[in-house]
Amino acid sequence: MNSIRSILIANRSEIAIRVMRAASEMNIRTVAIYAEEDKLALHRTKADEAYQVGAGKKPIAAYLDIPDIIRIAKEAGVDAIHPGYGFLSENPEFAEACAAAGITFIGPRPQVMRQLGNKVAARELAQAAGVPVVPATGALPYDIAAAKQLAANVGYPLMLKASWGGGGRGMRVVEHEGELADAMDVARREALAAFGNDEVYLEKLVRRAHHVEVQVLGDQHGNLVHLFERDCSVQRRNQKVVERAPAPYLSEQQRSELCAAALKLARQVDYTHAGTVEFLQDADSGQFYFIEVNPRIQVEHTVTEAVTGVDIVKAQIRISEGARIGSEESFVPAQSDIRLSGHALQCRVTTEDPENGFTPDYGRLTAYRSAAGFGVRLDGGTAYGGAVITPFYDSLLVKVTVWGHTASEANARMHRALREFRIRGVSSNLPFLQNVITHPLFVSGQCTTRFIDSSPELFRFSARRDRATKL
């Protein structure tokens, strides 16, 4: 195996810290990058070394500055770069720039990223592999008349999506032809800003759908395994809010078919490293459809780690070193030895104000107290007393992941954990998250992607007393 002794993490906040922690346990030196606006960010202090990137550029553009990231990597003498999620994690040009500089990119090969990172190309691969897909257009032309014709061929209502990237950026529901032109303009701008590419396409909207995804891992020797599935149906504006594993509505047969379909698609492109194959399941018919592949680690990977015991970040690093899945050094057991154990769910605690249209709040955290205890995992980015929350980046404070023997125990543990939090100085979505996980539809496991939009009772909050601060 080719030993990796040092890693630059081309990202920020909680995912950068997550990678640093895994690397530290493996006795690997870590290098952080930070934009000017992030000079006080916590991820800087968690690394062995930290360097400013993209001097003079805007806050997000700094983290997208490929030449400067490569410059820092060379000067710091790192062996590998981990892209995290978001930013450049799905950018094949970045992977190629790493290779050209003689630096290992911890992720799939550039050609695989091109095939799967582009949602339109990935659909074609799924069809070739015999995996069912939602009816959709190809990449939309700039000519609105031509785009309208393609939309009519699929049929309204439709979902407008960015071809490159995810996280809800560039996504819009289009109910009828009159909404298409404006939606395309907004989606293209969002996609260009977030992913550096404004290509979009249209997909048939499944009204009552479960969003379910399968975690896969592949090594560089042709071995592929799945780590079962996650349910991501609880979404707001196409952004996942609560995730859980396993999906509560799947039968064993459906689970088996879903995971087999994910592996079939991954084999089609000789996939390596961590990736997620995403599906929609029609809540009425039970039929599932492939929608996209995320060729990177995901925000919600923690719930899969909780129920399988597999450290996905360590696995990514070992795979990059050449380890074989099934061997002890790979951190990934053979498929027959990967089993589901219990239930896990993740909530994303953000500084969004649910009583004010989820407007992100920013300022200084005057007080911060987090949860703890058996079965509670915290992945924090900017979560500590005195931290300054800026308006430049994602509003995520901390991810809370809990595990329980049963789904009901996991839910009860999450409810307890959320009640333990105290966040003062900025608004947070804690009251909203508590309403979500105690809602009868969530408890029963039957939420669809329309759950938040169709449940106004989630937005009824009791007055906060803030007794501790007053005392």
Side-chain angles (χ1 to χ4, degrees), residues 103-144:
I103 298 166
T104 298
F105 177 81
I106 300 176
R109 297 184 307 280
Q111 63 267 35
V112 173
M113 294 172 74
R114 281 201 171 87
Q115 286 175 293
L116 295 177
N118 181 290
K119 309 295 187 274
V120 176
R123 283 175 49 82
E124 292 167 357
L125 277 166
Q127 288 172 305
V131 177
V133 298
V134 180
T137 68
L140 290 178
Y142 288 92
D143 177 56
I144 189 62

Side-chain angles (χ1 to χ4, degrees), residues 23-24 175 464 471:
S24 177
E175 297 285 357
R464 300 174 200 169
L471 178 65

Side-chain angles (χ1 to χ4, degrees), residues 35-191:
E36 169 65 24
E37 291 78 6
D38 255 348
K39 62 189 174 189
L40 300 177
L42 196 58
H43 76 275
R44 247 191 100 173
T45 69
K46 297 288 187 185
D48 295 311
E49 299 170 26
Y51 301 89
Q52 185 177 348
V53 70
K57 295 202 168 185
K58 290 184 177 178
I60 291 175
Y63 287 103
L64 299 173
D65 190 339
I66 294 175
D68 209 34
I69 293 171
I70 298 296
R71 173 191 65 79
I72 294 167
K74 283 181 172 179
E75 289 179 10
V78 302
D79 302 315
I81 290 179
H82 194 299
Y85 55 70
F87 290 134
L88 294 168
S89 62
E90 298 182 56
N91 189 310
E93 285 79 20
F94 183 46
E96 286 169 343
C98 292
I103 298 166
T104 298
F105 177 81
I106 300 176
R109 297 184 307 280
Q111 63 267 35
V112 173
M113 294 172 74
R114 281 201 171 87
Q115 286 175 293
L116 295 177
N118 181 290
K119 309 295 187 274
V120 176
R123 283 175 49 82
E124 292 167 357
L125 277 166
Q127 288 172 305
V131 177
V133 298
V134 180
T137 68
L140 290 178
Y142 288 92
D143 177 56
I144 189 62
K148 284 180 177 178
Q149 185 56 55
L150 290 171
N153 292 343
V154 175
Y156 293 91
L158 294 160
M159 179 66 83
L160 183 63
K161 302 176 85 169
S163 295
W164 297 90
R169 305 290 199 284
M171 290 179 72
R172 290 285 183 281
V173 173
V174 184
E175 297 285 357
H176 53 79
E177 189 179 274
E179 296 179 348
L180 184 59
D182 288 344
M184 279 175 61
D185 285 343
V186 174
R188 284 193 190 278
R189 283 199 300 273
E190 276 187 17

Side-chain angles (χ1 to χ4, degrees), residues 17 54-55 68 193 269 456:
I17 295 170
D68 209 34
V269 292

Side-chain angles (χ1 to χ4, degrees), residues 420-441:
E420 274 190 39
F421 273 88
R422 294 294 182 273
I423 297 170
R424 302 290 181 253
V426 295
S427 298
S428 81
N429 65 339
L430 282 169
F432 175 72
L433 291 173
Q434 290 179 50
N435 284 355
V436 167
I437 65 159
T438 55
H439 192 283
L441 258 183

